[in-house]
Amino acid sequence: MAHKSMNLTLKVWRQKNAKTTGQFESYQVKNISEEMSFLEMFDVLNEQLVQENKEPIAFDHDCREGICGMCSMYIDGKPHGPWQANTTCQLHMRAFKDGDTITVEPWRANAFPVLKDLVVDRTSFDRIIQAGGYVSVNTGNAVDGNSLPINKNAADDSFAAAMCIGCGACVAACKNSSAMLFLSAKVSHLALLPQGDPERSTRVMNMVAQMDKEGFGACTNTGACEATCPKEISLSNIARLNQEYLLSSLTASN
Amino acid sequence: MLDAKIPAGPLESKWSDYKGHCKLVNPANKRKLEVIVVGTGLAGASAAATLGELGYKVKAFCFQDSPRRAHSIAAQGGINAAKNYQNDGDSIFRLFYDTIKGGDYRAREANVHRLSEVSGSIIDQCVAQGVPFAREYGGLLSNRSFGGTQVQRTFYAAGQTGQQLLIGAYQALERQVALGNVKMYARHEMLDIVMVEGKARGIIARNLVNGELERHFGSAVLLCTGGYGNVFYLSTNAMGSNVTAAWKAHRKGAAFANPCFTQIHPTCIPVSGDHQSKLTLMSESLRNDGRIWVPAKKDDSRKPNEIPEQERDYYLERRYPAFGNLVPRDVASRAAKERCDAGYGVGSSKQAVYLDYAAAIERYGKIEASKQGNDNVPKEEIIAMGKQVVKEKYGNLFDMYQKITGENPYEVPMRIYPAVHYTMGGLWVDYELQTTLSGVYALGEANFSDHGANRLGASALMQGLADGYFVIPYTIGNYLADEIYNKPISTDHPAFVEAEKAVSDRISQLKNINGKQSVESFHKRLGKIMWDKCGMARNKEGLTEAIAEIQALKKEFWSDVRIPGEINEMNPELDKANRVADFIELGELMCIDALNREESCGGHFREEFQTPEGEALRDDAKFMYVAAWEFAGESNWNLQKEPLVYDVIKPSQRNYK
Ligand SMILES: Cc1cc2nc3c(=O)[nH]c(=O)nc-3n(C[C@H](O)[C@H](O)[C@H](O)COP(=O)(O)OP(=O)(O)OC[C@H]3O[C@@H](n4cnc5c(N)ncnc54)[C@H](O)[C@@H]3O)c2cc1C
Ligand code: SF4
Ligand code: FES
């Protein structure tokens, strides 16, 4: 089986560290097989840079299986590139053709400062979880797993929300850099389960407050987040979040 | 010399007796004790969260940008527990027995029994945290069967069990961060352990954002740093998985046990070219329905659909009629290699076999048709209905296959080949999970303790969480109870200064080599040596050659590696160089261990030791021991043996015919 190979021009964001300003630089890569993943193409480019005694491009990645949420490239104007329901690491070169110019940038958002080249700081997401994205149960407190039957549909919906990989593509896709999809996925995951019930109202209030504090923007319901989300987290979670928020503001003011 | 500290008494009561008698630390004193947890996968996150809940002051480290991204996140299939919710005859004893047998009688009875005892509590804890496990319509937890065992004891969350369990542990961890009990250091890499008067007193870590070295004090250090499968370069592990933390402890005196025990998983997407950076696992559950075959004729270049039924060799069904496609991982992997080596492999590389769903699609289609009570459904409709059923069961795996290969597995058989997946070997630990270094513990895949020579599917997640949630919280108290009399040591102590200087010198040395070859190219070459000579099949000649080749590679690495960029900045090439340097040394020890073990057992197959039918031939008289290696200088190790005693189970030859 012969595989098509291609020559490409890459325009990549280079930035030394958080304090400096960055700029685009152009690189040529040759004989890229359509079977490679997008990150393997970057490996080839980085090997080339090492050989030329230049500094390779820093980018985040780990599992390369679409599950850890670490990879984060803004490719030709789209977080994670052209494929639907896909992460950068799962994007394959079949998506491109010989002679293409591909532009690659980091996530852009105030709450995700660039650390170097394509690497950004997403610890703001961890701090949102710290504000209440959990069930307060210590190890050893638990009763038997089957003592609490849970409606299968509720469990499935909760799982669908819990599939969020915390990559931040939703923020990068949003013109307001809102983190609502990410936040709503966590609120839904826990609100749909009886275990999450006791802390329901404090959770949503505290997490929203933390999101605002981190400098994420407001949600104007454009839906760019849902369209770009690699795990197809649904906008209906944002509706649920708003409902939860409203409900707890009402009870809080009593 | 090696004391496993296994409590006396009958097997079933060892753990409860231990818990009833181990030393405790009172709450006021816990607040004064700092504990370092390196790694935030299932083992590390569960340990850090639980110790935080107990009141210890915890510092947790990981090299990713968030604890939620540890390699555990990628586990697909499920987690075992002896709950017997299915009423199909499971019990603590049966899970214990299956694990010992699956490990080919090279694991410790007492540890495995404890694992089995606490397995049920893990599920309870995860449910309480809100882990959305799969459920039945009645609202109760669902189970699947896994890895050829005869009971259904695997709990799962679709194909993302590791993700959901890790998110549960991560959230528990973040809760402790918010409460101020745990301080999290992400994008930090531990580069050495600091020992004072024979006891662990802290670590040296590199901040991967600015390159600065940091000193951290701790009264105990827990290494929860995962497995070392990436020594083979290509594996199903995440790109960053490495042996560095464990190796630093080893060089400081912690024995490394059974390094040659590695697991090669039979169903992975094959290598497609030189550029390949990692391999992708296709869950073991696919073997429940798929049939594995190669052409019966050598070098057959016809398309799979053009090869008629009678010209196909369903070699697993042929060789192992009783278990067929469901033989254990080690057996299935070797059989695939045997066919490909003999010239029957498929695909452009000829290093692949077919995993075919055509028969399953037709079978499921017919079942659907008969549900409609219609005997005259046209073939195409049967196939369409069958595809729908297969899609519901395995859709996400089929999609992943298609994304990677560009082929549609509903139409053409998948191509699969074995790949490195898991490492049973690791730091030697006693019953308390303490290494041979006082105050240094190892949890999860980083230790060697529970899986013997071969791990059963869905048991790694169980072990990681058992260690972190339910074992270490007790055993560490037994050590720390005496540490309350020792004051914390200032990080200006000469031992810290010296350790930091050693780390800094090594980094400068690496950076100053200024050679010609990239880190990546060395890693690839190491991987090739390991795969060819210390992979699925090993022999004396190959291993001896490999040792010499690795020693030469080590020299070349230290004289010709090129690391661009600066030391005091984010520098992924430097991070990688540190790790590859350690992998090279580990590779040598793995070959030495494989050479020493003149028998075949579990994942370790020595070609010289096999039955006439080509099955693994154990030698219990000579090798029923844990091989624990002590570092004694460059390329030099001493072997310590921990005999394995089977009081309850009688070892027998595994038979899957
Ligand atoms: C594709 C795949 C699928 C799998 N599926 C299953 C399954 O279905 N069921 C099952 O039971 N098992 C499965 N396994 C095995 C299982 O996932 C792992 O064995 C297990 O998750 C390991 O957990 P851990 O906590 O020991 O280590 P890991 O999850 O690997 O975590 C290691 C941690 O250590 C940190 N670390 C490492 N070195 C350093 C250092 N020097 N300094 C600082 N931090 C460091 C990392 O940042 C990370 O946080 C699978 C494995 C793979 C590869
Ligand atoms: S909601 Fe989707 S895009 Fe946003 S962080 Fe989660 S997985 Fe990524
Ligand atoms: S590298 Fe893990 S999701 Fe892409």
Side-chain angles (χ1 to χ4, degrees):
Chain A
M1 279 174 265
H3 296 291
K4 275 188 259 150
S5 73
M6 49 193 119
N7 300 334
L8 303 163
T9 304
L10 292 163
K11 276 177 62 190
V12 184
W13 185 259
R14 301 300 311 254
Q15 181 172 333
K16 186 130 184 82
N17 55 43
K19 294 185 194 89
T20 55
T21 51
Q23 71 290 323
F24 280 106
E25 274 180 35
S26 286
Y27 305 95
Q28 310 290 326
V29 285
K30 296 204 163 57
N31 298 320
I32 297 299
S33 150
E34 60 168 9
E35 291 222 309
M36 283 185 198
S37 71
F38 197 77
L39 295 185
E40 283 165 352
M41 184 269 291
F42 258 76
D43 294 341
V44 170
L45 172 57
N46 273 348
E47 278 296 289
Q48 197 173 303
L49 292 175
V50 175
Q51 285 314 317
E52 294 165 7
N53 231 345
K54 293 188 186 136
E55 215 184 314
I57 299 156
F59 61 92
D60 266 333
H61 66 114
D62 199 25
C63 74
R64 295 204 179 186
E65 275 186 22
I67 192 75
C68 74
M70 193 131 177
C71 61
S72 46
M73 292 185 186
Y74 194 82
I75 302 162
D76 284 341
K78 284 191 76 179
H80 292 310
W83 284 358
Q84 280 294 306
N86 200 65
T87 54
T88 303
C89 59
Q90 293 283 74
L91 177 64
H92 276 67
M93 295 312 292
R94 253 173 273 124
F96 301 92
K97 52 184 197 312
D98 190 29
D100 277 356
T101 297
I102 309 172
T103 308
V104 186
E105 297 169 73
W107 285 175
R108 306 259 187 215
N110 284 338
F112 290 163
V114 175
L115 294 175
K116 181 170 188 169
D117 297 340
L118 304 173
V119 176
V120 299
D121 179 350
R122 284 172 289 193
T123 46
S124 48
F125 268 15
D126 291 326
R127 288 188 293 271
I128 291 178
I129 299 296
Q130 280 158 29
Y134 44 74
V135 174
S136 296
V137 52
N138 284 0
T139 305
N141 285 169
V143 295
D144 185 85
N146 258 353
S147 62
L148 184 69
I150 299 176
N151 175 287
K152 182 173 174 3
N153 293 332
D156 287 350
D157 289 349
S158 168
F159 171 72
M163 288 211 309
C164 164
I165 57 175
C167 63
C170 44
V171 176
C174 175
K175 63 178 170 37
N176 308 323
S177 302
S178 169
M180 279 294 261
L181 195 63
F182 166 77
L183 175 59
S184 70
K186 187 47 61 198
V187 166
S188 291
H189 161 204
L190 298 172
L192 285 163
L193 297 173
Q195 296 92 316
D197 206 47
E199 295 165 289
R200 216 162 151 166
S201 58
T202 46
R203 173 180 306 119
V204 67
M205 301 300 277
N206 292 342
M207 289 179 79
V208 168
Q210 187 65 34
M211 172 176 74
D212 294 342
K213 204 166 124 193
E214 295 290 347
F216 290 101
C219 172
T220 49
N221 275 311
T222 45
C225 51
E226 182 189 48
T228 203
C229 173
K231 298 295 148 185
E232 301 184 291
I233 301 295
S234 153
L235 272 185
S236 63
N237 289 303
I238 296 188
R240 184 175 298 109
L241 169 80
N242 287 331
Q243 220 177 331
E244 294 277 321
Y245 189 78
L246 196 67
L247 215 71
S248 35
S249 346
L250 288 176
T251 41
S253 57
N254 275 343
Chain B
M1 278 279 278
L2 287 173
D3 179 7
K5 295 202 218 140
I6 297 168
L11 188 61
E12 317 75 61
S13 52
K14 284 181 196 291
W15 181 231
S16 45
D17 280 357
Y18 177 91
K19 285 193 293 183
H21 295 101
C22 64
K23 291 178 212 157
L24 300 174
V25 182
N26 87 38
N29 283 330
K30 282 192 184 117
R31 261 176 264 133
K32 293 184 211 146
L33 287 165
E34 284 187 81
V35 178
I36 288 176
V37 178
V38 189
T40 60
L42 287 179
S46 59
T50 306
L51 296 178
E53 289 162 8
L54 286 172
Y56 292 108
K57 272 167 58 187
V58 179
K59 288 178 165 185
F61 295 78
C62 72
F63 63 74
Q64 292 92 344
D65 68 329
S66 162
R68 67 178 292 154
R69 308 207 199 281
H71 165 61
S72 294
I73 201 100
Q76 301 172 349
I79 175 165
N80 290 331
K83 280 284 198 187
N84 195 29
Y85 282 160
Q86 306 306 323
N87 195 29
D88 57 357
D90 201 9
S91 64
I92 288 173
F93 183 84
R94 203 176 283 277
L95 173 55
F96 156 72
Y97 176 83
D98 287 349
T99 308
I100 293 277
K101 178 187 173 197
D104 219 355
Y105 308 97
R106 291 294 176 266
R108 248 187 231 148
E109 278 190 340
N111 285 54
V112 177
H113 200 273
R114 174 179 66 192
L115 173 66
S116 188
E117 281 172 63
V118 304
S119 65
S121 308
I122 297 173
I123 302 303
D124 302 339
Q125 184 62 31
C126 295
V127 168
Q129 289 169 344
V131 170
F133 282 118
R135 285 178 184 268
E136 304 294 346
Y137 282 100
L140 301 180
L141 294 160
S142 174
N143 290 119
R144 55 166 62 140
S145 50
F146 217 78
T149 48
Q150 287 153 313
V151 294
Q152 296 200 330
R153 64 161 72 101
T154 306
F155 295 78
Y156 62 100
Q160 281 111 299
T161 316
Q163 178 196 26
Q164 295 308 318
L165 295 175
L166 184 59
I167 296 294
Y170 156 76
Q171 289 174 184
L173 174 67
E174 293 297 355
R175 174 171 162 249
Q176 293 306 310
V177 173
L179 291 170
N181 299 327
V182 176
K183 187 153 170 41
M184 185 65 223
Y185 295 85
R187 292 198 198 271
H188 274 67
E189 186 141 324
M190 183 207 108
L191 291 179
D192 212 352
I193 290 195
V194 180
M195 300 291 295
V196 179
E197 287 163 10
K199 282 185 171 178
R201 281 289 174 254
I203 64 169
I204 304 295
R206 182 163 177 271
N207 176 332
L208 301 181
V209 176
N210 59 20
E212 274 165 28
L213 295 181
E214 298 171 2
R215 304 171 194 173
H216 294 276
F217 168 80
S219 290
V221 176
L222 275 49
L223 300 179
C224 314
T225 46
Y228 51 85
N230 277 346
V231 67
F232 290 91
Y233 185 72
L234 288 180
S235 85
T236 62
N237 289 8
M239 300 297 288
S241 298
N242 68 84
V243 77
T244 290
W247 199 252
K248 299 305 185 201
H250 174 57
R251 290 185 61 111
K252 281 267 156 97
F256 208 103
N258 299 335
C260 82
F261 287 167
T262 43
Q263 180 166 80
I264 317 268
H265 196 292
T267 52
C268 302
I269 300 177
V271 179
S272 72
D274 293 338
H275 55 265
Q276 189 120 5
S277 59
K278 77 155 279 171
L279 296 170
T280 302
L281 176 76
M282 297 299 285
S283 168
E284 178 154 356
S285 58
L286 287 172
R287 282 200 281 146
N288 287 336
D289 279 317
R291 293 182 75 194
I292 294 177
W293 62 277
V294 292
K297 221 170 61 188
K298 253 191 195 176
D299 297 321
D300 194 333
S301 53
R302 284 177 292 176
K303 295 211 173 86
N305 296 344
E306 292 165 2
I307 302 179
E309 195 61 25
Q310 63 278 13
E311 293 175 41
R312 301 176 176 190
D313 176 15
Y314 295 90
Y315 58 88
L316 286 176
E317 298 168 30
R318 168 170 61 77
R319 283 180 67 179
Y320 306 99
F323 277 70
N325 293 299
L326 287 175
V327 290
R329 292 176 176 175
D330 51 340
V331 177
S333 293
R334 275 198 296 279
K337 175 177 159 53
E338 187 278 331
R339 281 295 80 190
C340 295
D341 289 353
Y344 297 88
V346 302
S348 50
S349 64
K350 300 282 174 207
Q351 290 290 306
V353 300
Y354 290 127
L355 175 62
D356 198 337
Y357 261 71
I361 288 174
E362 198 174 327
R363 179 162 47 85
Y364 282 122
K366 282 189 182 147
I367 295 172
E368 289 304 297
S370 74
K371 277 189 200 160
Q372 299 174 358
N374 186 347
D375 296 335
N376 298 319
V377 185
K379 176 113 189 212
E380 309 83 75
E381 265 179 53
I382 291 190
I383 300 295
M385 286 190 280
K387 279 182 188 162
Q388 199 48 43
V389 176
V390 168
K391 191 178 167 122
E392 275 161 30
K393 294 183 93 157
Y394 306 107
N396 60 342
L397 293 169
F398 277 45
D399 290 349
M400 184 157 78
Y401 182 86
Q402 184 154 14
K403 262 183 202 164
I404 293 176
T405 63
E407 287 172 8
N408 179 353
Y410 294 99
E411 304 297 337
V412 287
M414 285 179 261
R415 286 171 294 111
I416 54 157
Y417 199 68
V420 174
H421 179 59
Y422 181 87
T423 50
M424 280 76 69
L427 289 173
W428 185 90
V429 289
D430 60 21
Y431 188 73
E432 299 185 303
L433 304 181
Q434 189 163 205
T435 67
T436 53
L437 281 180
S438 196
V440 178
Y441 292 75
L443 283 66
E445 194 174 339
N447 73 27
F448 89 106
S449 74
D450 295 351
H451 308 293
N454 176 54
R455 175 177 69 78
L456 290 182
S459 284
L461 303 183
M462 170 173 69
Q463 183 224 331
L465 290 180
D467 289 358
Y469 283 136
F470 296 109
V471 179
I472 200 74
Y474 291 91
T475 61
I476 202 159
N478 207 32
Y479 175 80
L480 291 176
D482 294 332
E483 286 306 303
I484 54 175
Y485 307 109
N486 296 326
K487 286 228 165 61
I489 285 177
S490 150
T491 51
D492 295 330
H493 187 283
F496 272 101
V497 177
E498 205 179 295
E500 184 188 311
K501 183 168 183 309
V503 171
S504 152
D505 286 351
R506 175 167 133 136
I507 290 176
S508 312
Q509 190 189 348
L510 275 170
K511 178 77 188 93
N512 292 337
I513 295 167
N514 270 324
K516 290 187 296 298
Q517 305 178 60
S518 69
V519 178
E520 201 73 6
S521 66
F522 281 105
H523 195 182
K524 276 190 187 177
R525 282 165 65 193
L526 173 68
K528 184 156 170 39
I529 300 172
M530 295 303 293
W531 181 245
D532 289 346
K533 295 177 175 165
C534 195
M536 263 189 284
R538 299 136 180 208
N539 60 51
K540 186 174 182 181
E541 195 191 345
L543 289 166
T544 315
E545 283 166 14
I547 291 168
E549 286 168 31
I550 294 170
Q551 287 173 350
L553 190 73
K554 183 174 169 184
K555 267 204 193 117
E556 202 179 321
F557 178 89
W558 283 98
S559 56
D560 199 31
V561 73
R562 171 184 291 178
I563 304 164
E566 304 302 323
I567 290 174
N568 282 319
E569 62 173 354
M570 180 180 277
N571 189 339
E573 286 295 309
L574 180 58
D575 307 344
K576 220 160 45 178
N578 263 316
R579 297 171 189 166
V580 170
D582 295 334
F583 273 138
I584 293 176
E585 295 179 11
L586 166 74
E588 183 176 356
L589 179 61
M590 287 170 71
C591 294
I592 291 174
D593 185 43
L595 190 60
N596 169 68
R597 195 169 277 279
E598 295 186 324
E599 65 163 350
S600 295
C601 62
H604 169 65
F605 190 76
R606 280 284 299 266
E607 288 170 339
E608 304 96 315
F609 307 97
Q610 50 180 304
T611 65
E613 301 88 44
E615 306 300 333
L617 192 60
R618 259 187 8 239
D619 185 346
D620 288 348
K622 286 207 202 116
F623 291 98
M624 198 170 261
Y625 63 74
V626 176
W629 299 89
E630 286 175 349
F631 184 75
E634 302 305 317
S635 294
N636 192 6
W637 286 272
N638 295 329
L639 174 60
Q640 295 270 355
K641 297 177 186 174
E642 181 204 335
L644 289 165
V645 183
Y646 288 92
D647 291 325
V648 175
I649 294 182
K650 197 173 158 300
S652 63
Q653 188 78 35
R654 292 191 307 165
N655 181 5
Y656 299 98
K657 294 258 176 206

